[in-house]
Amino acid sequence: MSSTIPAFTARAFSASKKRSLTAVIAISAGAAFAIAAPLSASAHVVVTPNTAEAGSYSLVTFKVPTESATASTVKLEVDLPTATPFSSVSYVPVPGWTTELTTETLPKPVAVGENKITTAVTKVVWTAGPGAEIAPGQLQLFPLSLGPVPDVKKVQFTAVQTYSDGKVVNWADTSADADEPAPALYVNEAPPSEDHHSTTGVTATAEAAPSTAPSTQGAGSDPLARGLGIVGLVVGAVGVVLAIVWRRRTV
């Protein structure tokens, strides 16, 4: 009798241990997937700050992350609106990158304040020099001074991102929950309360942009910070489960 009871207890503990470890693995994997999915989906080309006052001259920054795991970003093209053009467009030099402004004749004259303009900057192109490419896991900041901001609901941009392997991503989709959403500057329309287009999960390059470029993202609203907090909770839960398993094993 004494020889069979320990054997039964050992088998029971082994099955219990396997179930506990399986639960730990499932919880960890599920939490990791839940955190990784929104972070990877949120790494888009965006404008920050994403709001501006009509009639103002605003310094906005295009945040450009590299989503590829093997290729670097070597070029960014941003198309500016022609129906509601900016009469003034200037850029802040980005170290290692060349900047080209394209001025075109508008389809028809547009009234801007008391003036009518017939030409405007319609495209800005940044091209990386050797060694300045945006590597995987990094982002770069491209500031522009735009004005006066038109009195519209929002200013819609389109951006084209080119990678070193030849891949091209068109950030031009204006539909809700788009996979490749177009960056937007909200004027008279309120931006989404939970903007899933904010850039997280990547690190800025060492020479990204001057500190004068404004940002509206605070640490308290950073999705990455929330994700790390969740990771901490999951790790704590896993530790509790492992402690229980170890206690049962020693007993």
Side-chain angles (χ1 to χ4, degrees):
M1 179 68 69
S2 61
S3 61
T4 58
I5 292 177
F8 174 80
T9 304
R11 288 195 299 271
F13 170 75
S14 178
S16 175
K17 180 180 178 181
K18 288 180 180 179
R19 287 194 298 270
S20 299
L21 292 178
T22 300
V24 170
I25 294 172
I27 293 172
S28 303
F33 177 80
I35 294 170
L39 290 182
S40 62
S42 65
H44 301 323
V45 173
V46 298
V47 174
T48 180
N50 64 351
T51 60
E53 184 179 347
S56 67
Y57 287 77
S58 297
L59 179 64
V60 301
T61 300
F62 288 86
K63 287 186 176 182
V64 182
T66 290
E67 294 183 317
S68 173
T70 58
S72 301
T73 299
V74 297
K75 187 176 183 180
L76 174 70
E77 304 172 60
V78 173
D79 289 324
L80 306 181
T82 57
T84 55
F86 298 100
S87 61
S88 174
V89 177
S90 56
Y91 65 91
V92 178
V94 178
W97 291 70
T98 60
T99 308
E100 180 183 357
L101 304 181
T102 300
T103 301
E104 296 181 352
T105 300
L106 300 173
K108 60 180 181 179
V110 178
V112 177
E114 298 179 353
N115 303 317
K116 284 191 175 183
I117 61 174
T118 57
T119 62
V121 175
T122 58
K123 183 187 291 287
V124 184
V125 179
W126 290 272
T127 305
E133 303 88 348
I134 310 172
Q138 294 181 335
L139 65 81
Q140 183 62 276
L141 308 180
F142 299 93
L144 281 181
S145 176
L146 305 172
V149 175
D151 191 5
V152 294
K153 290 183 177 180
K154 63 181 178 180
V155 179
Q156 199 76 64
F157 304 94
T158 60
V160 179
Q161 182 178 12
T162 302
Y163 285 91
S164 56
D165 60 1
K167 180 182 177 181
V168 175
V169 180
N170 291 293
W171 301 97
D173 195 341
T174 58
S175 60
D177 298 324
D179 291 333
E180 297 174 356
L185 179 66
Y186 294 87
V187 185
N188 293 319
E189 177 181 321
S193 56
E194 288 293 334
D195 192 354
H196 66 283
H197 299 162
S198 60
T199 304
T200 57
V202 288
T203 56
T205 55
E207 297 179 337
S211 58
T212 54
S215 174
T216 58
Q217 290 186 346
S221 61
D222 188 356
L224 180 57
R226 293 198 301 269
L228 292 176
I230 296 174
V231 171
L233 293 176
V234 172
V235 171
V238 170
V240 172
V241 174
L242 290 177
I244 294 174
V245 172
W246 178 256
R247 178 179 176 83
R248 290 179 177 177
R249 180 179 181 183
T250 54
V251 172

